[in-house]
Amino acid sequence: LEILKKRLPDAILIGAKKSGTRALLTFISIHPNVSAANPEIHFFDKYYHLGIDWYRSQMPFATQNQIVIEKTPKYLVDPKVAQRVYNMNKNVKLIVILRNPISRAISEFVQTQWKQKRNIFDVEEQARRFNRMLYQNRRGNLTIRKNWSVIRNGIYVKHVKNWLKYFPLESFIFINGDNLVRNPHQEMKKLQEFLAIKPIITERNFVMTTQKRGFPCIRLKPGSDRIKCLNDQKGRPHPKINPSVFQDLDQFYKPFNKEFFELIDQEPFW
Ligand SMILES: Nc1ncnc2c1ncn2[C@@H]1O[C@H](COP(=O)(O)OS(=O)(=O)O)[C@@H](OP(=O)(O)O)[C@H]1O
């Protein structure tokens, strides 16, 4: 007989927002040794005052053989969170998934437009609106508005540095969100290794369906017809940013990206 209990998480998927956090959680959830909370809990950023027993009550039931995971992408960028997580459990495993910060920024921008119910299907109007929000006038020069959260959230080095004040590099895994779309099994192999669970999610679990605009879906078991895809809120159409704006963003992020990969001591993913 297996006893099911609610326990505090063994691993937390802390972000980055719009980098494929939902896809990663959905994929790892099919593993029998994982029990994942489905909604975003927002304990360390928003509901901390409700206390640790509340947090535990939000966790899914799990057996002793399961790793408990929750995901809240806000955790990566909220400066209060790292210390709070450390106070809960300094040995917790931290999962970070990152996507090229330029496509991440556009993805977050598109999400803000959907939330405001703007005319989301006019991608040209969206591109113009993105440009208007992106720049600021500094003494006659147009510069990138780096305090815009859409831009700031992608300065990964800044956020990860704050986490590294509390946790050693070995506490983290950095998953490549762009590659999770192209070669999901490669990223799942890394994640299963990091969580020290059997690598049972493999290439045979993934299906590329035409309905899902090239995004992979997962088979609950290899060979099974039962398939899980993300809903239509994921994989939204993006506005086409003009090349000069793209170049400005590329220049802007370049030094931060470089510093980030040096910090985590890995080859650049993008
Ligand atoms: N398999 C699969 N199916 C659908 N979508 C996928 C998948 N893998 C990665 N992605 C990308 O995930 C992007 C959304 O990221 P998040 O889930 O982290 O967003 S959120 O922060 O939780 O709102 C989402 O961004 P948009 O394309 O801008 O919608 C997708 O590009």
Side-chain angles (χ1 to χ4, degrees):
L1 197 89
E2 289 198 295
I3 300 167
L4 290 167
K5 273 196 173 150
K6 290 188 176 194
R7 290 188 274 114
L8 292 173
D10 306 295
I12 309 180
L13 207 181
I14 61 174
K17 187 174 175 184
K18 307 316 293 178
S19 294
T21 57
R22 177 56 62 189
L24 191 63
L25 191 77
T26 304
F27 296 165
I28 200 65
S29 295
I30 76 155
H31 197 294
N33 297 114
V34 169
S35 180
N38 195 45
E40 293 180 5
I41 313 289
H42 285 277
F43 174 61
F44 296 102
D45 59 320
K46 208 170 168 185
Y47 298 117
Y48 198 61
H49 62 278
L50 297 180
I52 201 82
D53 292 335
W54 178 85
Y55 187 42
R56 191 182 295 103
S57 77
Q58 300 304 300
M59 290 298 135
F61 284 101
T63 67
Q64 276 311 313
N65 302 326
Q66 285 180 315
I67 291 177
V68 177
I69 302 185
E70 77 122 328
K71 83 115 174 162
T72 302
K74 183 78 202 243
Y75 292 165
L76 179 66
V77 300
D78 184 324
K80 303 186 295 294
V81 171
Q83 182 170 32
R84 290 174 172 182
V85 172
Y86 179 87
N87 290 341
M88 174 190 73
N89 176 3
K90 66 182 173 54
N91 297 120
V92 75
K93 293 186 176 191
L94 300 167
I95 305 165
V96 185
I97 176 168
L98 299 170
R99 174 185 188 185
N100 179 319
I102 302 177
S103 37
R104 199 218 66 82
I106 296 167
S107 176
E108 185 174 348
F109 167 75
V110 169
Q111 171 157 289
T112 63
Q113 299 294 297
W114 279 64
K115 284 193 172 156
Q116 294 166 30
K117 300 198 166 47
R118 300 272 193 160
N119 52 338
I120 43 195
F121 296 107
D122 184 347
V123 282
E124 278 164 27
E125 168 56 23
Q126 269 204 57
R128 285 193 293 275
R129 191 173 291 134
F130 181 78
N131 295 355
R132 283 201 297 275
M133 298 186 75
L134 180 62
Y135 293 102
Q136 65 192 356
N137 195 327
R138 275 281 155 86
R139 295 179 219 94
N141 288 322
L142 283 186
T143 59
I144 286 184
R145 196 155 61 91
K146 60 171 180 288
N147 285 330
W148 186 21
S149 58
V150 160
I151 296 305
R152 198 186 54 231
N153 287 342
I155 306 178
Y156 303 136
V157 63
K158 173 184 143 99
H159 309 303
V160 170
K161 254 188 196 162
N162 178 49
W163 280 86
L164 285 171
K165 288 189 207 152
Y166 300 94
F167 295 93
L169 208 44
E170 300 74 63
S171 295
F172 298 83
I173 182 141
F174 296 94
I175 299 290
N176 179 344
D178 296 302
N179 198 43
L180 187 74
V181 177
R182 295 189 302 262
N183 302 299
H185 65 283
Q186 291 175 353
E187 299 305 310
M188 295 316 291
K189 184 168 187 270
K190 277 167 53 183
L191 181 59
Q192 292 170 99
E193 220 164 86
F194 175 71
L195 296 175
I197 52 181
K198 268 201 202 133
I200 59 163
I201 303 172
T202 66
E203 197 159 8
R204 292 162 59 225
N205 284 91
F206 291 97
V207 221
M208 294 290 178
T209 57
T210 43
Q211 311 95 286
K212 286 291 168 185
R213 282 170 260 99
F215 288 103
C217 300
I218 192 161
R219 272 186 219 288
L220 301 193
K221 295 217 167 74
S224 151
D225 293 337
R226 288 172 56 215
I227 289 173
K228 229 187 211 174
C229 299
L230 272 62
N231 67 27
D232 293 335
Q233 304 276 70
K234 305 291 178 179
R236 292 166 173 145
H238 284 194
K240 219 170 149 36
I241 299 307
N242 74 49
S244 74
V245 175
F246 190 89
Q247 250 182 25
D248 288 347
L249 280 169
D250 196 47
Q251 286 303 310
F252 174 81
Y253 278 121
K254 201 170 263 171
F256 295 121
N257 288 339
K258 185 167 181 284
E259 205 193 325
F260 170 70
F261 287 112
E262 283 166 9
L263 182 71
I264 68 164
D265 196 20
Q266 287 186 31
E267 288 302 311
F269 308 154
W270 60 77

